[in-house]
Amino acid sequence: MKIYIPYLIVALGLCASCKKNAAVQAPFVISIAPDTGSAYFPVYITGINFDTVAADIIVKFNGVSAPVYSVTDSALIVQVPVNATTGKITISVNGHTVSNSTSFVILSGGSWVQKA
């Protein structure tokens, strides 16, 4: 019986140290800048509860998926996709989706190219 007491204490200690997973919070958009752009243009999105894993974040410009280049819990850098049209930007994180309040306007007549 004395042999099992240390194992019981260790098992209780492990159970006590386990934390329950906190509920995943829905993302919230604070700002999107700029609010106009053309294909390949970088867009900076600030907010809260994004995530720190790019694979867990889906950004769409009026339904067209956009590449996510940089992520933190409070900021994203994405690129305007080639086939994007004027409309809402939606951000999905772990099953929660939010969109901006105004439309992102796609500019016509070319695309943005960064020069060295």
Side-chain angles (χ1 to χ4, degrees), residues 18-24:
C18 294
K19 293 182 181 178
K20 290 185 177 181
N21 290 339
V24 175

Side-chain angles (χ1 to χ4, degrees), residues 29-55:
V29 175
I30 295 172
S31 68
I32 295 176
D35 58 0
T36 62
S38 57
Y40 305 109
F41 203 85
V43 176
Y44 302 89
I45 304 170
T46 59
I48 56 173
N49 300 325
F50 287 153
D51 202 329
T52 55
V53 179

Side-chain angles (χ1 to χ4, degrees), residues 51-96:
D51 202 329
T52 55
V53 179
D56 293 341
I57 301 169
I58 300 169
V59 178
K60 293 184 178 182
F61 284 69
N62 204 22
V64 180
S65 294
V68 178
Y69 287 107
S70 177
V71 298
T72 69
D73 189 49
S74 61
L76 304 173
I77 299 175
V78 300
Q79 187 180 65
V80 177
V82 173
N83 296 325
T85 57
T86 296
K88 303 283 186 190
I89 295 176
T90 58
I91 300 156
S92 299
V93 180
N94 296 316
H96 297 282

Side-chain angles (χ1 to χ4, degrees), residues 37-39 82 106-113:
S38 57
V82 173
I106 300 296
L107 302 174
S108 61
S111 60
W112 185 82
V113 178

Side-chain angles (χ1 to χ4, degrees), residues 2-13:
K2 290 183 181 181
I3 296 174
Y4 296 108
I5 292 177
Y7 294 111
L8 179 62
I9 292 171
V10 169
L12 289 174

